[in-house]
């Protein structure tokens, strides 16, 4: 395997992307140019037109660079600490963690890379992620679910997949794309400011308002296009990483088996850890529930990935169950999630309701095993002090908080172990969130905001 | 105009020769480094075996022969490794090292079969850890071999291709590097015998 050729290919596609993005910027500026004439009805001179186009380009590029600068602070270890992961060393007494560390060292040899920092993400989902800007500050995180449910070969396939992401520079590419997408969103912000400023300027108020509105729409369209571009790249990169995983391990059964187990495991690959969304592309399979299929998905459908690795696959996912030893440790708590999948060949993916339940039950991750991890999803803290105990069981729509109470005060405090890291992470998310920074709108659901739906900001930090 | 053609061509040739030489050196160093990686992992296995034997001794009082064979194979392989370190890539030394390592692998395999018959030993916490280490080390050796063979292949391909093949000998790269091969090649190549 010539890893250098692989890296060259990755670099070429990155260049193509940047070209596409610049094309998008030019198209947007041209559209604004046309809009100006339509909205104000005046024909600006060439000097003014040039100045406007230059200003817009500066705005967009500046926004991109500013966001990138922010993202640079996320080193590999920093991201994983923010996710509530804990460092695993070679001297760890837990045999599962020892095995994980060994597997990472093995794959480092196979990939010809330095050994990255290894982290354990305390979550019952089967997933893993690579973070960092390059091989030197890379870190690999694996969920406890993956450690307990995958066998050695499958774990090796998963880790090899993450090594492929490191080798291909996928994390860096994706951070760049997030930055560029943010630049496009700057246009929308400008439009909003214009529209809000409109009533104060008496003359041409209507024209200005229309211009602001049109700019907002354009900026949004640009950001959506950027989001689609980013998702498309991410999906291609997954296929590339799967292929490289096979190259490193010289056998497709490992990674294919792991993907099948993700399909068969009731929790699947969806993490209950807040903040997973901005990093969705770094995981081995979909880490967040929303928009998990279609054009905005960061990963290709599991079945297609498995078929590329194993053409003779019969389309059935194995029914994955925890080891009896672990199940016995928490007989009552684990029941809901450890139940075998519904009859029908075990093909059922976790349904909307189950995912919603996961989503609503998510709290701060605690240190503990899979059993405890599943258990913590079950008892939900009351939404507000003195609230009726049934509130947690209702659907998300009905659980909207009453006017005047703020969610932040109502939720249970995070586990002490993470008190230092998570709020810091949440603060960083807020700082890097353009919608919130520009104008906090009360009463709107943050999840409904467009840049969230595009996967630009991290998931709401609760 | 024509005055420039000959010096220009000579300069281009010189640049090309420098490239060929430097690339050969790069590839050679890459496979030497890859060998050093295997070396590290083989040593790791050699260091692991005495611990394994020590732990197993308490349980395997009647299996002295198996244990002794593992120790002997380990010592032979360690000696071969020391010889190979001085001269990586030489075909004869590589073949002997591969043979010694294969013998060690075989002895370890037999040892593992024996351990299967002793449930208390298998359940021993220390033993389980050592076996995980052994599995990991075997994998590392396999991956390091894989990386070494890839590096050797890249070197050989470049050295044998035209036009570098014209200059490689001149620069002192006369021989192909030898990949590590299956020691049990004959066994693999022999057709499987099916008896009814």
């Amino acid at each position: 395997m010539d890893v250098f050729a692989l890296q060259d290919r990755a670099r070429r596609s990155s260049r193509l992307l940047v070209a596409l993005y610049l094309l998008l910027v030019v198209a947007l500026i041209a559209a604004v140019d046309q809009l100006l004439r339509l909205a104000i009805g005046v024909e600006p001179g060439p000097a003014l037109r040039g100045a406007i186009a230059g200003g817009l380009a500066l705005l967009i590029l500046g926004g991109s660079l500013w966001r990138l600068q922010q993202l640079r602070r996320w080193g590999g270890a920093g991201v994983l600490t923010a996710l509530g992961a804990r460092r695993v060393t070679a001297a760890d007494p837990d045999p599962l963690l020892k095995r994980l560390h060994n597997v990472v060292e093995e794959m480092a040899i196979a990939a010809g890379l330095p050994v990255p920092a290894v982290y354990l993400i305390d979550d019952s989902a089967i997933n893993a992620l690579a973070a960092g800007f390059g091989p030197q500050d890379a870190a690999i995180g694996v969920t406890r679910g993956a450690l307990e449910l995958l066998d050695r070969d499958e774990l090796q396939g998963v880790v090899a997949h993450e090594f492929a992401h490191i080798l291909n520079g996928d994390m860096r590419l994706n951070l760049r794309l997030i930055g560029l997408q943010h630049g496009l969103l700057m246009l929308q912000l400008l439009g909003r400011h214009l529209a809000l400023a409109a009533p104060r300027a008496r003359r041409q108020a209507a024209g200005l308002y229309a211009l602001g509105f049109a700019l907002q729409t354009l900026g949004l369209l640009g950001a959506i296009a950027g989001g689609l571009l980013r998702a498309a790249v991410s999906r291609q990169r997954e296929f590339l990483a799967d292929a490289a995983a096979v190259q490193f391990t010289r056998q497709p059964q490992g990674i294919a088996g792991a993907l099948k187990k993700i399909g068969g495991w009731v929790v699947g690959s969806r993490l209950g850890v807040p903040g997973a969304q901005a990093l969705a592309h770094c995981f081995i399979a979909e880490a967040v529930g929303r928009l998990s299929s279609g054009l905005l998905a960061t990963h290709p459908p599991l079945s297609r990935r498995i078929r590329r690795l194993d053409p003779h696959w019969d389309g059935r996912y194995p029914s994955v169950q925890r080891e009896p030893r672990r199940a016995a440790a928490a007989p009552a708590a684990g029941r809901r999630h450890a139940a075998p999948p519904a009859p029908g060949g075990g093909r059922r993916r976790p349904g909307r309701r189950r995912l919603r339940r996961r989503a609503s039950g998510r709290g701060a991750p605690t240190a503990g095993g899979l059993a405890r991890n599943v258990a913590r999803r079950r008892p939900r803290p009351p939404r507000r002090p003195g609230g009726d105990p049934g509130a947690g069981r209702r659907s998300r729509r009905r659980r909207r908080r009453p006017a005047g109470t703020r969610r932040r005060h109502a939720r249970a405090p995070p586990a002490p172990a993470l008190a230092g890291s998570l709020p810091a992470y949440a603060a960083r998310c807020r700082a890097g969130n353009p919608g919130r920074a520009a104008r906090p709108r009360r009463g709107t659901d943050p999840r409904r905001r467009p840049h969230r739906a595009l996967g630009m900001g991290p998931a709401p930090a609760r | 105009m024509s005055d420039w053609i000959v010096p220009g061509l000579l300069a281009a040739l010189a640049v090309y020769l420098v490239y060929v030489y430097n690339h050969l050196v790069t590839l050679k160093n890459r496979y030497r480094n890859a060998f050093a990686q295997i070396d590290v992992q083989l040593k790791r296995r050699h260091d692991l075996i005495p611990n394994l034997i020590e732990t197993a001794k308490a349980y395997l009082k009647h299996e002295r022969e198996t244990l002794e064979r593992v120790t002997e194979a380990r010592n032979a392989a360690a000696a071969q490794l020391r010889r190979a370190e001085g001269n990586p890539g030489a075909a004869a030394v590589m073949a002997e090292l591969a043979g010694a390592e294969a013998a060690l692998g075989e002895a370890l395999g037999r040892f593992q079969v024996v351990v299967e018959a002793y449930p208390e030993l298998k359940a021993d916490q220390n033993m389980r850890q050592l076996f995980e280490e052994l599995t990991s080390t075997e994998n590392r050796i396999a991956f390091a071999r894989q990386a070494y063979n890839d590096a050797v292949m890249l070197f050989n391909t470049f050295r044998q291709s035209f036009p570098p093949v014209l200059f490689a000998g001149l620069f002192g790269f006369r021989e192909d590097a030898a990949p590590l091969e299956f020691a049990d090649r004959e066994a693999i190549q022999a057709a499987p015998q099916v008896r009814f």
Side-chain angles (χ1 to χ4, degrees), chain A residues 161-201:
Chain A
H161 176 105
E162 299 309 330
F163 264 101
H165 278 315
I166 297 175
L167 191 67
N168 293 341
D170 289 352
M171 300 93 77
R172 194 172 14 189
L173 174 66
N174 201 81
L175 286 179
R176 280 197 188 135
L177 287 178
I178 291 177
L180 297 179
Q181 202 185 359
H182 184 76
L184 294 176
L185 211 64
M186 293 296 283
L187 206 58
Q188 188 236 340
L189 282 180
L190 177 73
R192 201 157 80 196
H193 281 291
L194 277 184
L196 289 172
R200 262 173 272 153

Side-chain angles (χ1 to χ4, degrees), chain A residues 110-301:
Chain A
L113 290 174
V115 180
V118 187
Y119 283 83
L120 170 73
I121 303 169
D122 217 328
D123 198 287
S124 56
I126 302 178
N127 218 327
L129 103 159
F133 290 101
Q136 295 311 322
D137 92 322
I140 283 184
V142 178
T143 59
R144 187 168 277 279
L147 285 189
E148 290 179 355
L149 296 166
L150 301 182
D151 67 26
R152 207 173 195 286
D153 283 351
E154 289 160 352
L155 184 67
Q156 207 171 51
V158 167
V159 171
H161 176 105
E162 299 309 330
F163 264 101
H165 278 315
I166 297 175
L167 191 67
N168 293 341
D170 289 352
M171 300 93 77
R172 194 172 14 189
L173 174 66
N174 201 81
L175 286 179
R176 280 197 188 135
L177 287 178
I178 291 177
L180 297 179
Q181 202 185 359
H182 184 76
L184 294 176
L185 211 64
M186 293 296 283
L187 206 58
Q188 188 236 340
L189 282 180
L190 177 73
R192 201 157 80 196
H193 281 291
L194 277 184
L196 289 172
R200 262 173 272 153
R202 292 277 162 84
R203 281 179 303 161
Q204 295 174 339
L208 205 57
Y209 190 82
L211 180 68
F213 186 76
L215 272 180
Q216 267 194 65
T217 317
L218 267 182
L220 215 60
L221 282 179
I224 288 172
L228 291 178
L229 210 66
R230 183 177 144 222
V233 175
S234 182
R235 286 197 300 269
Q236 280 312 310
R237 290 299 168 119
E238 290 307 319
F239 281 130
L240 196 64
D242 282 348
V246 177
Q247 274 185 326
F248 292 154
T249 58
R250 294 287 206 270
Q251 53 140 347
Q253 292 91 349
I255 177 79
L259 291 176
K260 286 175 195 167
K261 278 193 178 167
I262 290 176
W265 177 230
V266 276
V267 180
S269 59
R270 270 119 177 123
L271 291 185
V273 181
Q277 180 161 16
L279 304 163
H281 60 281
C282 308
F283 284 94
I284 190 166
E286 289 292 341
V288 276
R290 205 176 330 125
L291 299 170
S292 63
S293 63
L295 286 171
L296 283 169
T298 53
H299 291 68

Side-chain angles (χ1 to χ4, degrees), chain A residues 7 12 25 30 36 64 66 70-71 133-134 141 204 208 228 240 264 269 279 290 303 307 320 377 462:
Chain A
Q7 280 179 312
R12 260 202 306 280
V25 171
L36 267 182
S64 298
W66 176 73
Q70 273 194 325
L71 293 173
F133 290 101
Q204 295 174 339
L208 205 57
L228 291 178
L240 196 64
S269 59
L279 304 163
R290 205 176 330 125
S303 55
R307 258 189 226 296
V320 181
R377 297 216 165 110
R462 294 166 172 225

Side-chain angles (χ1 to χ4, degrees), chain A residues 23-45:
Chain A
L23 210 66
L24 200 60
V25 171
V26 170
L28 274 178
I29 290 176
V32 171
D33 188 53
Q34 289 300 314
L35 257 175
L36 267 182
R37 287 195 303 188
L38 288 177
I40 312 183
V42 282
E43 184 76 36

